[in-house]
Every structure is written in C-alpha cells, then in structure tokens.
C-alpha cells in the first residue's frame, strides 16, 4: 500500500516533468514563459519554507524576503567571483545561499522567536527592512554587490530543469519532515505553545529548527532567482515581497503543501497573464485588479482557497497518522 | 548645541506627524486586533484631499484640514464596512491579507491617471513661511502649526476617550469584546467610530505632512505608515499615550541619525531600536505584561 502510493507519486512527478520538457522542446512554451515557469517554481520553494514557519509551526514571519535576498546575494557573489559558467557553480551557489540564510536565521531566530504572534511578525518585519537597507548599502563593503544600483553580471545558469529538481526535492523533504516526530512537535507548538511545553516539547529548540529550515528554503530559492534573471536589486527583497509569499501560503491554506504549490503557480501566472490579457490602454489597471481579486478571494474563502486540505493522492499520509495534521487555524 | 536643538525640533515635527498616524493604528489594533496596513494609504489620501481643497478650491487652511479629516473618516469607515467587517470572525490572518490588498488597491488605484496620477506633485502653500529665531534655533510657523494642531488633536482625543460615554465604550470593547457586548454596547458602531476617528487623524497628519514636506505622490504613505505602526508597537500597542511617545521617539531618532550618523542608516536605526525594545519588553514601553493562558 505504502509502496504503491510512493510509486504513484514518482510517476506523477516524472510525467509532469516529461510533459513540460516536451512542450518546451516543441517550442510551445517559449523562453519568456519558461522563465515565468521557473520563477513560479522559485516562488513555490520560498513559499514552502514560509509554510513550514507559519503554516506548520505557527510563527508569524513578515521578513521572509530578507532570507530570500541573503541567499540570492550570497549565491550571486559566489558565482560572480568564481567567473565560470559551469552549471555546478549554481549548485554550490544555492547550497551556500541556503546555508548562509540558515545561519542568519539561527542567529536572529534565537532571540526573536521568544516573541509571540503579531510581535514576532513586527520584529521580523523590522529585520526585513534592516536587511533591505543592508542590501542598499552593501557596495560600501563589497563593491561587486552593487548596492542600490543593483548587481549585474551574474551568470544565467538557472534552467527550468534545475528549478524543477530543487522544487521536487524541497517538497519531498518538507513532506517527510512534517510527518516526522519533528513535524509533530512543530504542529503541537502551532496548536498551543504553552500546552506543548507542558507535555515536554522543547519549544525553543523546535521553533528554531522550523524557522531555520524554512529560511534555508528561502535562501535556496533566492540562489536560483539570482541566476535566473542575472540581475539583483534590493527592491526585489523589500517588505512587499515578504507579503507576496505570505499571501501565497494564506490563499493556499496554512499548513497545506499542495495548496501552497498550486497558488504559487496560479499567482505568478495570474500576474503575468494579466499583462498579456489586458489591452494596452488599461495595462495600468493590472495592479488595481490584482489586489481587488485578493480582497474578494479572502472575503469568499477566508481560510484559503483549499482551506488547509491536501490533495490526497499527491501527498500520501503514513499509515500511523490517522489524526489530521492541518485542521485548525493558527492564531487565535 | 544649537545644531542639536535645531535637529530636535525637526525630529519633533516628524514625530508629531507620525503620532497622528500611529494613533489610528493603535486604536484599531486595540479594538479589533488588526494591523490595518491600509492606514498609511488613508494618510496619503488625506494629503491629496488637502492638496485639492487648498490648491483647487482655495479653501482657507483650517477648513481644508477639517475637510480632509472628514473625507478620510468616511473613507476609513467605508473600508471597514466593506473589507474588514465580513471577516470579523474569520482567522485573523485573512483580515491582515485583506488589509494588505486594500493598501495595494488604494496605492495603485489612486496612481491611475484619472485619479491622482503617478507623479510627484508640489503641495500648495496656504500661507507664507515665517521663521522665528530663538537664540540661534529657527522655528518656522509651519512647525508651530504642526505642533499646535497635533497636540490639540491628541488632547481632544484623550478627553474623548477618557470622559465621554462613547470613549468609555471604546475602552470597554478593547478590554473585552464579548463582555462589552453583554453590557449592551453596539460593537459594530464602536468599531466604525474607531475607524472613523483613526482615519480622520491620519487625514490631519496627511495635510500636515503635505505642508511640512511639500511633495506628495500615491506611494508616500508606505514608509510613514510602517514607521507609525512601529511607533505604536514601540510605545505599547493599544495604548494611546504610548503611540504618541513611540512616534515622537521614532521621529527624533530618525532625524538625529540622519543628522549625526548617516542619512542612509536612518531607517535601520529606527527599526533596530524596535527590535531591541521588543526583546526587552515585548509589550512596548508603556505596555502591561500579558498573562499566558492555556
């Protein structure tokens, strides 16, 4: 039974990849849309990380884009200073980006994860704004980072295949983590922090684990992003970008992996699609229609479009997990 | 020394404008526990109301001020009724995302060409600038007006909240919504009034900001909004004197950093102080510690 479910997941993943690659090689997905597809995958990776932090562990973070930016700048700095177009540099870059984001998350998380709900959100918001200022002035210390003029000359190494591979790996790790004993501890903290501490869960330790892993996802996504457009600007990592990721996981339903993925792709394609669909005369309306849609969706489906449910056949639950893992909502 | 005093006055000027925005944040948070991200954009629209009333309709300054406050109050109540009221019993994050959506909508809708347009506009001067020299420190009549109007509005608000029946109802609702309802308080009405007052104060802040820093555009509310919110948290969110204190600290720190350290670091220092205060006293400078309940 279990083996069958795993096999089915593998078949689905391979089928999706083959279909997309065939469409690309037939020229049905042109390079522009390939880039959008890759970007959607990157957003999904980053959103999976925030879903672990907020959706599963219940720690409200408004500074996700800061870690995304740390990963992006670290990876870009590495590949730019090595000056090689070997694709393995990308692998090294995203690993370094992920590690650096994780280390910073650990150092920041240890003190600020003591804060609860909105206060944690505000502290991470403050951290995000401080990091944006650091990116803006980074050229004062390391000139090649470009500061507020933006960082150019990053080799364009990210291909759709890379994004897809990291994306699938990210899903597998997250899914197994959530159904492990660590995942149980994280969910118990989300449900009731005081009570889970009372039954012996080391909440500080598990909150930090959840936060660091989530930020590593952001760092890895940032590393891929840096090599996708070969240009980085601090405004790509400001407060609004943190909100973008947050609204992806909220619309997808907190604590739902499949919801996050579907919304990450739908959101990216909606924003780009509006650019294509709208006639030239009302193109300015694109960013008016988008928040209106957002408000309407929230008013109709306040618990997210999928309301925290998973698509069962994609995410088989282990036999031992009879109790639902994503029923209740986070903040009271 | 005179340079320091001069910067202190400039900092207070900025701080009082932040205080007018922060009051709306803190009152709304105190009552519905919502970070109303659209509040900074209400402030922006207040500045534009002032722009049109002063520049196009040539109204005298006090009338334009009252007009902008009324316009913003109506806008705030409308936003609450349309976007937040249906979500009152939904997860809090849903209202937060809606507030963010409302903020983006106001910014991008007002930057459409037939609304306010995306460009910077020069703010009309309702009166000539007069500088007073007080022992080497200059104080302009604009600064006196900013201080005067802000302090006047804060005193009126404090009296309203402390002495009137509606003010008492507001305090009761923020203390315990359900019990307040049992005592016969119309919660929806109180929430509407709170949004109205908060938005009106933001509108006043917008006009003052316009005459003090005479350039406006549809995105001018983003940073002051965030900083005013941070100021409200700094002073202890939900506490009205706390918001004033936090806002003045934010304004003075920002101007002092720009004057004595580096103007690129002004926001970093302000937000750094926020994080440190949160770590030492998470409920803010004037906040009371909250009990943990299982």
């Amino acid at each position: 039974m279990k083996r069958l479910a795993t096999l089915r997941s593998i078949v689905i993943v391979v089928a999706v990849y083959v279909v997309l690659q065939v469409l690309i090689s037939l020229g049905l997905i042109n390079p522009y849309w390939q880039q959008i597809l890759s970007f959607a995958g990157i957003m999904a990776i980053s959103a999976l990380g925030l879903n672990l932090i907020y959706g599963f562990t219940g720690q409200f973070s408004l500074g996700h884009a800061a870690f995304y930016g740390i990963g992006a700048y670290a990876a870009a700095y590495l590949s730019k200073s090595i000056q090689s177009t070997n694709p393995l540099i990308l692998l090294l870059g995203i690993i370094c980006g992920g590690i650096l984001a994780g280390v910073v998350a650990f150092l920041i998380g240890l003190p600020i994860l003591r804060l609860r709900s909105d206060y944690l959100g505000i502290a991470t918001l403050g951290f995000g704004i401080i990091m944006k200022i650091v990116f803006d002035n980074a050229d004062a210390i390391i000139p090649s980072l470009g500061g507020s003029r933006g960082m150019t000359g990053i080799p364009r190494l990210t291909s759709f295949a890379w994004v897809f591979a990291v994306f699938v790996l990210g899903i597998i790790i997250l899914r197994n983590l959530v159904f492990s004993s660590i995942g149980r501890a994280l969910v118990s903290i989300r449900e009731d922090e005081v009570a889970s501490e009372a039954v012996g869960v080391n909440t500080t330790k598990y909150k930090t684990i959840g936060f660091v892993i989530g930020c590593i996802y952001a760092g890895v996504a940032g590393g891929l992003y840096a090599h996708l457009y070969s240009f980085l600007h601090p405004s790509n990592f400001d407060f609004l970008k943190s909100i973008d990721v947050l609204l992806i996981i909220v619309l997808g339903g907190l604590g739902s992996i499949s919801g996050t993925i579907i919304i990450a792709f739908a959101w990216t394609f909606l924003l780009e699609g509006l650019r294509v669909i709208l006639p030239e005369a009302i193109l300015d309306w694109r960013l008016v229609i988008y928040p209106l849609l957002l408000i309407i969706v929230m008013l109709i489906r306040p618990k997210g479009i999928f309301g925290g449910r998973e698509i069962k056949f994609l995410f088989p639950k282990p036999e031992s997990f009879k109790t639902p893992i994503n029923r209740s909502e986070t903040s009271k | 020394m005179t340079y320091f005093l001069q910067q202190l006055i400039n900092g207070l000027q900025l701080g009082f404008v932040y205080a007018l925005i922060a009051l709306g944040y803190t009152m709304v948070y105190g009552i519905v526990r919502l970070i109303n991200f659209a509040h900074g954009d209400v402030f922006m629209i207040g500045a534009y109301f002032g722009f049109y009333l002063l520049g196009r309709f040539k109204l005298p300054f006090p009338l334009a001020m009252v007009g902008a406050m009324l316009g913003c109050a109506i806008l705030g109540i409308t936003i609450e009724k349309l976007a937040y009221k249906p979500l009152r019993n939904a997860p809090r994050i849903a209202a937060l995302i809606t507030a963010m959506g409302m903020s983006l909508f106001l910014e991008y809708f007002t930057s459409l060409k037939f609304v306010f347009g995306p460009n910077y506009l020069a703010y009309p001067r309702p009166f000539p600038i007069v500088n007073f020299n007080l022992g080497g420190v200059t104080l302009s009549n604009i600064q006196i007006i900013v201080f005067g109007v802000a302090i006047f509005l804060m005193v009126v608000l404090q009296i309203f909240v402390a002495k009137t029946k509606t003010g008492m109802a507001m305090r009761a609702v923020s203390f315990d919504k359900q019990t307040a309802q049992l005592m016969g308080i119309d919660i929806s009405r109180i929430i509407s009034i709170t949004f109205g007052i908060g938005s009106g104060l933001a509108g006043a802040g917008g006009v003052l900001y316009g005459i003090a820093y005479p350039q406006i555009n549809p995105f001018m509310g983003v940073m002051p909004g965030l900083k005013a919110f941070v100021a409200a948290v700094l002073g202890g969110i939900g506490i009205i004197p706390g918001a004033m204190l936090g806002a003045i600290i934010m304004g003075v720190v920002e101007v002092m950093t720009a004057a004595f350290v580096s103007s690129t670091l002004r926001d970093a220092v302000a937000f750094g102080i926020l994080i440190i205060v949160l770590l030492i006293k998470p409920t803010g400078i004037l906040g009371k510690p909250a009990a943990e309940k299982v």
Side-chain angles (χ1 to χ4, degrees):
Chain A
M1 180 61 204
K2 190 183 162 211
R3 198 168 283 169
L4 196 72
T6 314
L7 196 69
R8 192 165 52 193
S9 301
I10 293 171
V11 169
I12 291 170
V13 166
V14 172
V16 169
Y17 181 72
V18 167
V19 166
L20 286 172
Q21 277 299 354
V22 166
L23 286 177
I24 287 171
S25 57
L26 287 177
L28 287 172
I29 301 178
N30 65 23
Y32 174 70
W33 283 100
Q34 264 181 60
Q35 215 168 34
I36 304 295
L37 199 62
S38 301
F39 179 66
I42 290 168
M43 282 310 280
I45 297 168
S46 174
L48 287 174
L50 188 62
N51 204 357
L52 182 67
I53 297 171
Y54 185 42
F56 287 107
T57 321
Q59 303 303 306
F60 190 30
S61 170
L62 287 173
H64 207 57
F67 299 99
Y68 184 54
I70 291 171
Y73 273 101
Y77 178 69
L78 193 83
S79 60
K80 197 178 166 185
S81 44
I82 290 178
Q83 282 298 349
S84 144
T85 48
N86 187 340
L88 283 177
I89 298 295
L90 177 64
L91 189 63
L92 190 66
I94 61 177
I95 290 171
C96 288
I99 289 173
L100 190 66
V103 169
V104 174
F106 178 74
L107 295 175
I108 287 294
L110 269 188
I112 70 171
L113 282 172
R114 290 187 300 141
L115 299 170
R116 298 280 164 88
S117 77
D118 285 351
Y119 291 105
L120 178 62
I122 295 151
T124 47
L125 166 76
F127 174 71
I129 289 174
I130 292 173
M131 278 317 293
K132 161 94 177 8
I133 297 165
V134 170
F135 296 145
D136 268 329
N137 298 296
D139 55 338
I141 302 156
I142 307 171
S144 66
L145 293 185
S148 52
R149 279 170 289 117
M151 184 177 184
T152 51
I154 307 157
R156 206 182 280 259
L157 298 172
T158 303
S159 64
F160 173 66
W162 273 103
V163 174
F164 192 83
V166 176
F167 172 60
V168 171
L169 191 69
I171 296 172
I172 295 170
I173 293 173
L174 185 64
R175 185 256 172 212
N176 287 347
L177 184 75
V178 168
F179 289 120
S180 69
S181 63
I182 296 177
R184 293 265 103 178
L186 298 182
V187 172
S188 80
I189 291 171
R190 176 189 73 187
E191 293 299 314
D192 195 324
E193 194 171 331
V194 181
S196 64
E197 194 157 10
V199 295
V201 176
N202 184 346
T203 53
T204 312
K205 177 181 153 194
Y206 284 106
K207 279 197 288 187
T208 313
I209 290 177
F211 189 67
V212 168
I213 296 176
C215 291
I216 290 175
Y217 272 74
V220 167
L224 288 169
Y225 175 79
H227 296 87
L228 179 68
Y229 291 108
S230 83
F231 176 71
L232 290 181
H233 192 270
S235 68
N236 294 333
F237 308 107
D238 66 2
F239 164 65
L240 282 177
K241 297 297 178 288
S242 299
I243 294 290
D244 285 347
V245 188
L246 182 68
L247 72 89
I248 286 175
I249 67 164
V250 173
L251 288 181
L254 292 171
S256 160
I257 299 174
S258 40
T260 302
I261 296 164
I262 293 168
I263 297 297
F265 280 85
W267 176 84
T268 315
F269 280 91
L270 172 78
L271 273 185
E272 285 306 316
L274 282 178
R275 215 193 281 274
V276 178
I277 296 167
L278 294 178
E280 195 73 34
I282 57 165
L283 204 57
D284 293 346
W285 281 80
R286 185 172 79 105
L287 291 169
V288 179
I289 295 171
Y290 155 63
L292 272 185
L293 280 177
L294 187 64
I295 295 171
I296 292 166
V297 169
M298 280 292 45
L299 289 178
I300 299 170
R301 305 276 310 168
K303 288 191 175 170
I305 291 176
F306 300 98
R309 282 187 293 273
E310 292 284 4
I311 297 173
K312 287 264 163 41
F313 69 90
L314 272 179
F315 294 95
K317 250 178 221 173
E319 288 292 302
S320 54
F321 283 85
K322 290 292 181 210
T323 46
I325 201 157
N326 38 26
R327 181 181 282 162
S328 84
E329 46 136 5
T330 312
S331 48
K332 271 153 245 156
Chain B
M1 190 60 200
T2 46
Y3 183 62
F4 178 82
L5 283 177
Q6 185 67 57
Q7 295 305 327
L8 187 68
I9 290 177
N10 294 343
L12 285 175
Q13 178 190 349
L14 188 61
F16 275 111
V17 175
Y18 284 163
L20 288 175
I21 316 172
L23 287 171
Y25 266 118
T26 213
M27 286 163 65
V28 165
Y29 190 89
I31 287 191
V32 287
R33 301 270 175 268
L34 165 71
I35 306 174
N36 180 13
F37 278 117
H39 196 62
D41 303 292
V42 173
F43 157 81
M44 173 273 290
I45 289 175
Y48 271 93
F49 280 151
F51 174 83
Y52 286 110
L53 292 175
L54 288 170
R56 297 278 158 84
F57 299 103
K58 307 286 181 207
L59 285 186
F61 179 67
L63 272 183
M65 192 88 187
V66 172
M69 286 178 72
L70 278 179
C72 284
I74 293 167
L75 177 72
I77 293 171
T78 315
I79 291 174
E80 195 272 330
K81 287 265 183 270
L82 286 179
Y84 305 149
K85 197 179 173 194
L87 291 171
R88 208 169 283 166
N89 297 315
R92 275 176 49 212
I93 185 70
L96 187 85
I97 297 285
T98 311
M100 205 59 228
M102 190 48 88
S103 163
L104 289 175
F105 171 74
L106 290 176
E107 283 159 20
Y108 285 99
F109 182 73
T110 53
S111 49
L112 291 177
K113 285 192 191 69
F114 65 91
V115 191
F116 298 154
N119 300 322
Y120 277 95
L121 298 174
Y123 215 72
R125 282 245 179 261
F127 38 74
I129 301 179
V130 185
N131 283 321
F132 303 100
N133 199 329
L134 306 169
V137 181
T138 34
L139 188 67
S140 69
N141 57 345
I142 286 182
Q143 284 170 327
I144 293 172
I145 287 173
V146 170
F147 296 155
V149 172
I151 291 171
F152 171 73
L153 288 174
M154 286 182 214
V155 169
V156 170
L157 177 71
Q158 193 61 289
I159 291 170
F160 177 78
V161 172
K163 302 282 181 196
T164 64
K165 211 165 182 182
T166 315
M168 196 198 281
M170 280 167 68
R171 281 181 289 144
V173 173
S174 88
F175 194 76
D176 189 331
K177 222 188 271 178
Q178 272 165 339
T179 315
Q181 201 159 19
L182 288 173
M183 299 297 133
I185 294 171
D186 182 352
I187 300 236
S188 292
R189 189 176 139 262
I190 294 301
I191 293 177
S192 284
I193 291 175
T194 309
F195 268 87
I197 294 175
S199 305
L201 291 173
V207 178
L208 291 181
Y209 191 89
I211 60 164
Y213 308 95
Q215 255 201 339
I216 55 172
N217 88 332
F219 296 92
M220 64 180 266
V222 179
M223 253 342 219
L226 270 182
K227 282 180 197 157
F229 170 63
V230 162
V233 177
L234 198 61
I237 195 148
I239 305 163
I240 289 173
M244 300 175 198
L245 179 69
I248 289 166
I249 293 175
M250 281 293 279
V252 172
V253 164
E254 198 183 321
V255 171
M256 289 292 177
T257 317
F260 292 100
V261 190
S262 147
S263 66
T264 50
L265 290 180
R266 56 197 292 175
D267 296 347
V269 172
F271 285 95
I273 288 177
L274 166 80
I275 293 180
I276 292 166
V277 169
L278 281 179
L279 289 178
I280 299 168
K281 200 156 182 294
T283 45
I285 297 172
L286 297 184
K288 295 176 193 70
E292 281 183 15
K293 289 180 207 155
V294 182

